[in-house]
Amino acid sequence: MKLTIQEVAKAVHALEVTTVDKEMTLTGAEFDSRKITEGDLFVPLKGARDGHEFVNAAIANGAVATLWAKDNGAIPKDFSAIIVEDVLVAFQQLAKYFLEKIRPTVVGITGSNGKTTTKDMTAAVLSASFKTYKTQGNHNNEIGLPYTILSMPEDTEKLVLEMGMDHEGDLHLLSTLAQPEIAAITLIGESHLEYFGTREKIAQGKMEIVDGLKEDGILIVPADEPLLVPLTEKLHQEVVRFGLEKSADVYATIKKEAKGHVDFTLSFLEGEFRIPVPGAYNVRNALVAALIAKRLGMSDEKIREALATVELTKNRTQWLKNSKGVEILSDVYNANPTAMGLVLDSFSKMPTKGRRVAVLGDMLELGDKSGSLHRSMALHLFPDEIERVYLYGSEMLKLTEVIKDMYPVGTLRYYNKTEKLDEKNELIKDLKEELKPEDMVLLKASNGMGLSEVVLALMEK
Ligand code: 2GN
C-alpha cells in the first residue's frame, strides 16, 4: 500500500486528523503491532484486547500514523491520528478505496476447504500470465479481506480473494466490499466451522457472494448441488455450472488417475490436461481455475502449462484424521490472542461424538502483556465444552494457574519449555496414550513452539 495521510483521511471520512504533514506517505497497514514496519499505518482493531492499548508498541516499531476511534482516550502526542467513528469500518472503507485506485480484476472464491484450495490453484494459473495476488493464510474474513486488499502490490492485475463464511451476512459484506468480476462457490460443504445448521441455510449464505458481483460478472457454481442451483435461476448475471458430469455447463472428464498426478480433459478447452497432484477433488479445483483463466483471456496452451506445474502448498490450518480415528485441527504456525480465542470458541461448539481436547502452546512476542494475554484464554475454556486441556510452554503456565481449579483432576496437563527443559516428548507420549477414537483435538501455538512435531507424531501409524 502507498497512500498519503490525506488520502486515507478522505477515504475513511475522518472526523479529524491530528497531524503536521498530511502529504506523508504511508507504506502499509497493520492491525498487529508486532507486524508494523517503518512507515506503516496502525489499525487498532478490537480483538481479544483493544488495539488502542498497543499504539505505543506500534509507534516503537515505526508506525507513522494510526486510525483512532473517537473518544478513545489520550492520543499519543506528536503523532498522526486519523479520528474515525469506527476503526473496522474505516479499515474496510480504506481497502475499498485502495481497490478502486489499483483496479485489479477481482475474483471472489468461497467454499474452499480441504487440503488444497481453488483459490490457490486459480492464483497459480493466473500468475503464469498476470501479476496476481491472493489471500494469504486465513485472511478471509471482515478483517482479513481488507487486509489482503491493502497488502496487494500496486501493480496487481488480478486479485484472487478467498471469502470466508461463518455467519449469515459475512459474504454480503465481503462481496459488496470487493465487488468481484467473477465469483465462485466451490462447494456447499458441511464444514465443521459453519454454524448455519442446515445445508439449505449454508447454500443461502453462500449465495450472498452475488450481492456485490458486477452486473456483467460471472457466477460459477457446482452443478451437483441441488440446493444451490435453484437459487441461481433469477440472477441476471451469467451463471456457469461446473462438475464431472456431462449435464453440467462445463465439465471435466478424468482420463487417468495416478499416484502423483491426474490427467483429464475439459469441455471448454482443447486437448488434455494434467495436474501434478492426485485426486478428483483437485480436478474440480483445476476446472474452476481453468475456467476463470479462460474467461480472463488466457490461451488453452498457457492454461495447460500452468496447471501442469502448479505447486500446492499445504493449508496452514488443516483438518486431519489419524489412523486411530482422532480428528485433528492443526493450526500451529502462528498465534495471536484474538485468533486463539476465536478458534477456541468455534472449536467449543463443533459437534463430536467423542471429547474435545485442546493442546495450546505459547503465543510468542507478546511483550510485557504476555502473561495477561495468555491468562485471558481462560475466558474461552470450559470443561463441559473442552474436556481436556494440554498446555505447553512457560507462558501457558500462567493460564494453567487460572484454570486449574475449574478443571477436574487429571483433565488439565502442563508441559514446560525453557532453554534447559523441554517436555514436548512427554506431551506427545501422553497424547498418544490418552486420545481415543472419535476425540477431536485442536492444536494451536506460535510457530516457534514447534507444535507441528506433535501433529506429525499424532499422525504416525
Ligand atoms: O483472527 S485473526 O488472526 N484474523 C486476522 C485477519 O484474518 C482472519 C483472522 C485476528 C487477529 C483478528 Cl480477526 C482480529 C485481531 Cl485484532 C487480531 C490480532 O492481531 N489481535 C492481536 C492482539 C489482540 N487482542 S495481535 C496482538 C499483538 N499484541 C498483543 C495483542 C494482540 C502484541 C503486543 C504485546 C504487548 C504490547 C504491545 C503489543 C505492549 N505494549 N506491552 N506493553 N506495551
Side-chain angles (χ1 to χ4, degrees):
M1 177 191 107
K2 219 170 109 197
L3 297 170
T4 65
I5 291 178
Q6 183 67 51
E7 257 183 308
V8 173
K10 198 166 165 222
V12 304
H13 311 291
L15 303 169
E16 191 193 330
V17 184
T18 67
T19 186
V20 260
D21 183 5
K22 292 191 184 175
E23 295 309 314
M24 172 106 87
T25 300
L26 301 170
T27 49
E30 297 289 349
F31 52 85
D32 182 340
S33 60
R34 295 173 297 180
K35 303 224 170 95
I36 290 267
T37 56
E38 190 62 42
D40 284 349
L41 171 74
F42 181 53
V43 181
L45 296 172
K46 263 213 162 57
R49 293 277 281 271
D50 185 337
H52 292 83
E53 288 179 50
F54 302 103
V55 67
N56 288 321
I59 296 172
N61 287 340
V64 296
T66 184
L67 293 175
W68 198 266
K70 68 165 189 191
D71 306 326
N72 219 283
I75 302 163
K77 280 207 173 45
D78 304 318
F79 188 63
S80 291
I82 300 160
I83 319 283
V84 295
E85 288 283 344
D86 182 307
V87 174
L88 177 57
V89 171
F91 187 45
Q92 293 164 345
Q93 288 168 331
L94 184 61
K96 193 160 190 172
Y97 170 82
F98 189 62
L99 192 57
E100 282 160 11
K101 184 166 171 167
I102 306 295
R103 288 201 164 278
T105 309
V106 177
V107 177
I109 298 180
T110 189
S112 37
N113 72 6
K115 283 202 192 66
T116 66
T117 67
T118 311
K119 175 227 11 171
D120 292 319
M121 227 186 257
T122 303
V125 175
L126 294 179
S127 302
S129 296
F130 308 102
K131 295 243 158 55
T132 305
Y133 189 70
K134 66 170 181 184
T135 301
Q136 313 285 309
N138 69 337
H139 290 146
N140 64 4
N141 66 3
E142 79 280 10
I143 291 167
L145 180 124
Y147 181 73
T148 302
I149 292 171
L150 289 164
S151 306
M152 80 177 146
E154 312 261 304
D155 60 355
T156 302
E157 295 170 315
K158 309 292 171 198
L159 179 63
V160 183
L161 293 174
E162 183 175 315
M163 298 186 173
M165 180 179 91
D166 283 336
H167 312 94
E168 204 182 312
D170 287 352
L171 288 183
H172 173 83
L173 184 137
L174 302 178
S175 173
T176 52
L177 198 171
Q179 300 185 1
E181 264 89 359
I182 300 180
I185 299 172
T186 61
L187 78 174
I188 304 260
E190 287 157 356
S191 163
H192 288 286
L193 287 163
E194 291 160 344
Y195 313 124
F196 283 73
T198 63
R199 283 176 63 87
E200 281 84 355
K201 282 258 167 33
I202 296 176
Q204 274 168 23
K206 300 250 155 160
M207 279 303 290
E208 290 177 10
I209 201 168
V210 299
D211 292 359
L213 182 64
K214 293 258 159 69
E215 281 298 309
D216 56 354
I218 306 166
L219 176 68
I220 301 170
V221 295
D224 47 6
E225 288 286 6
L227 292 172
L228 200 56
V229 172
L231 301 177
T232 65
E233 267 151 22
K234 289 208 175 73
L235 293 177
H236 32 267
Q237 289 98 336
E238 181 184 354
V239 178
V240 184
R241 299 170 309 128
F242 74 92
L244 298 180
E245 305 289 333
K246 287 202 166 53
S247 52
D249 299 329
V250 291
Y251 58 89
T253 308
I254 295 177
K255 294 288 177 199
K256 193 173 140 228
E257 268 192 88
K259 240 199 217 141
H261 63 261
V262 195
D263 296 330
F264 55 97
T265 56
L266 294 170
S267 60
F268 55 100
L269 298 178
E270 293 295 325
E272 213 168 282
F273 292 80
R274 169 170 290 187
I275 45 172
V277 281
Y281 174 84
N282 281 317
V283 173
R284 291 174 67 100
N285 287 338
L287 184 160
V288 174
L291 178 63
I292 292 170
K294 179 74 177 172
R295 292 304 189 100
L296 295 181
M298 283 177 70
S299 70
D300 299 19
E301 207 42 54
K302 200 83 192 165
I303 295 169
R304 184 171 1 266
E305 277 170 36
L307 278 178
T309 56
V310 286
E311 281 173 34
L312 297 175
T313 50
K314 272 200 192 136
N315 272 354
R316 314 236 314 154
T317 312
Q318 271 188 302
W319 272 105
L320 304 163
K321 196 170 188 164
N322 77 3
S323 54
K324 229 177 166 182
V326 178
E327 283 192 280
I328 299 171
L329 176 53
S330 162
D331 185 0
V332 295
Y333 296 108
N334 55 44
N336 65 62
T338 312
M340 191 174 275
L342 289 172
V343 73
L344 283 169
D345 291 349
S346 63
F347 185 70
S348 298
K349 296 193 196 93
M350 285 174 195
T352 172
K353 288 191 190 131
R355 305 168 298 180
R356 296 189 200 89
V357 177
V359 181
L360 306 176
D362 285 358
M363 299 177 276
L364 303 176
E365 296 167 63
L366 292 182
D368 58 9
K369 297 243 173 37
S370 181
S372 75
L373 289 165
H374 281 83
R375 278 191 286 269
S376 73
M377 291 303 118
L379 301 168
H380 307 275
L381 288 166
F382 301 98
D384 54 341
E385 289 172 343
I386 299 181
E387 282 181 50
R388 277 176 178 263
V389 180
Y390 295 77
L391 299 177
Y392 172 55
S394 54
E395 292 304 290
M396 281 297 173
L397 182 57
K398 294 163 189 165
L399 176 59
T400 310
E401 281 156 9
V402 185
I403 63 171
K404 69 171 189 285
D405 293 335
M406 187 171 63
Y407 270 85
V409 176
T411 61
L412 171 64
R413 300 284 168 78
Y414 175 73
Y415 305 84
N416 209 344
K417 182 180 194 294
T418 63
E419 270 171 38
K420 290 198 201 88
L421 172 74
D422 187 346
E423 297 178 323
K424 190 182 281 161
N425 288 334
E426 285 75 18
L427 168 63
I428 291 172
K429 186 172 152 279
D430 289 352
L431 282 170
K432 283 192 158 179
E433 272 171 28
E434 291 164 21
L435 288 174
K436 295 191 237 168
E438 304 202 321
D439 281 351
M440 206 161 73
V441 191
L442 164 71
L443 295 103
K444 184 155 179 84
S446 282
N447 190 27
M449 297 302 290
L451 271 195
S452 59
E453 289 170 41
V454 179
V455 176
L456 276 177
L458 294 179
M459 291 306 292
E460 279 166 12
K461 279 255 155 64

XYZ file of all heavy atoms in Angstrom, residues 28 119 145 150 161 183 225 227 247 261 269 310 312 315 332 354 397 404-405 454:
149
model
N 2.084 0.904 4.487
C 1.389 -0.350 4.763
C 0.368 -0.133 5.861
O 0.345 0.931 6.478
N -8.803 -21.382 -4.618
C -8.152 -20.080 -4.601
C -6.682 -20.192 -4.986
O -6.181 -19.443 -5.827
C -8.290 -19.471 -3.198
C -7.563 -18.191 -3.020
C -6.693 -17.989 -1.785
C -6.337 -19.070 -0.880
N -5.348 -18.813 0.138
N -9.953 -9.815 4.773
C -10.125 -9.440 3.358
C -9.654 -7.999 3.098
O -8.872 -7.778 2.170
C -11.567 -9.687 2.905
C -11.852 -9.330 1.444
C -12.428 -10.500 0.673
C -12.749 -8.127 1.358
N -5.284 -4.380 1.103
C -4.298 -3.331 1.393
C -2.867 -3.851 1.304
O -1.926 -3.059 1.234
C -4.581 -2.721 2.768
C -5.847 -1.845 2.793
C -6.314 -1.577 4.220
C -5.621 -0.522 2.047
N -9.465 -13.433 -4.195
C -9.821 -13.288 -2.787
C -10.625 -14.480 -2.297
O -11.641 -14.842 -2.893
C -10.667 -12.024 -2.590
C -9.968 -10.691 -2.841
C -10.982 -9.549 -2.747
C -8.835 -10.475 -1.838
N -17.245 -14.614 -9.430
C -17.446 -15.196 -8.101
C -17.609 -16.697 -8.272
O -18.264 -17.142 -9.211
C -18.690 -14.607 -7.434
N -25.101 -29.526 -6.878
C -25.629 -29.072 -5.588
C -27.082 -28.675 -5.778
O -27.391 -27.520 -6.076
C -24.817 -27.884 -5.053
C -23.430 -28.213 -4.561
C -23.406 -28.940 -3.222
O -24.485 -29.302 -2.693
O -22.287 -29.163 -2.715
N -29.326 -27.882 -3.908
C -29.821 -26.781 -3.079
C -29.419 -25.428 -3.635
O -30.051 -24.414 -3.376
C -29.263 -26.903 -1.664
C -29.773 -28.083 -0.856
C -28.999 -28.207 0.440
C -31.256 -27.903 -0.572
N -23.841 -33.320 -17.869
C -25.005 -32.440 -17.767
C -24.629 -31.033 -17.274
O -25.431 -30.108 -17.367
C -26.034 -33.068 -16.834
O -25.405 -33.404 -15.605
N -0.377 -37.740 -9.999
C -0.993 -36.791 -10.930
C -2.322 -37.310 -11.456
O -2.644 -38.488 -11.279
C -0.040 -36.481 -12.093
C 0.276 -37.668 -12.941
N 1.436 -38.399 -12.804
C -0.425 -38.279 -13.935
C 1.438 -39.395 -13.674
N 0.319 -39.345 -14.371
N -12.029 -26.471 -23.210
C -10.675 -26.218 -23.694
C -10.218 -27.398 -24.548
O -10.691 -28.520 -24.366
C -9.698 -26.020 -22.523
C -9.931 -24.835 -21.579
C -8.892 -24.844 -20.462
C -9.887 -23.501 -22.323
N 1.482 -26.502 -11.338
C 1.017 -25.871 -10.085
C 1.674 -26.536 -8.895
O 1.790 -27.763 -8.812
C -0.527 -25.895 -9.862
C -1.235 -24.917 -10.748
C -1.092 -27.295 -9.953
N 1.229 -26.942 -4.978
C 0.225 -26.709 -3.955
C 0.878 -26.701 -2.591
O 1.586 -27.627 -2.224
C -0.870 -27.751 -4.052
C -1.616 -27.669 -5.383
C -2.608 -28.800 -5.503
C -2.314 -26.328 -5.547
N -2.395 -26.125 3.343
C -3.075 -25.116 4.141
C -2.445 -25.040 5.520
O -2.114 -26.056 6.103
C -4.549 -25.485 4.305
C -5.365 -24.937 3.181
O -4.854 -24.198 2.341
N -6.620 -25.290 3.160
N -0.862 -24.528 13.753
C 0.322 -24.438 14.602
C 1.395 -23.491 14.064
O 2.539 -23.555 14.498
C 0.947 -25.842 14.807
C -0.010 -26.724 15.580
C 1.280 -26.511 13.476
N -17.008 -37.828 20.312
C -16.019 -38.044 21.367
C -15.845 -36.793 22.215
O -16.771 -36.001 22.377
N 1.979 -21.585 31.514
C 1.897 -21.899 32.944
C 0.941 -20.923 33.642
O 0.198 -21.288 34.542
C 3.297 -21.835 33.573
C 3.387 -22.184 35.061
C 2.820 -23.578 35.339
C 4.835 -22.117 35.551
N -6.834 -24.068 36.739
C -6.627 -25.374 37.395
C -7.713 -25.725 38.401
O -8.008 -26.900 38.591
C -5.221 -25.469 38.010
C -4.943 -24.613 39.199
C -3.588 -25.010 39.798
C -3.326 -24.338 41.125
N -2.971 -22.910 41.003
N -8.360 -24.728 38.989
C -9.419 -25.056 39.950
C -10.721 -25.413 39.252
O -11.585 -26.061 39.837
C -9.645 -23.861 40.891
C -8.427 -23.651 41.779
O -7.686 -24.643 42.006
O -8.201 -22.508 42.220
N 4.327 -32.247 17.117
C 3.312 -33.003 17.855
C 2.252 -33.516 16.871
O 1.827 -34.670 16.950
C 2.672 -32.133 18.964
C 1.602 -32.914 19.714
C 3.747 -31.614 19.912
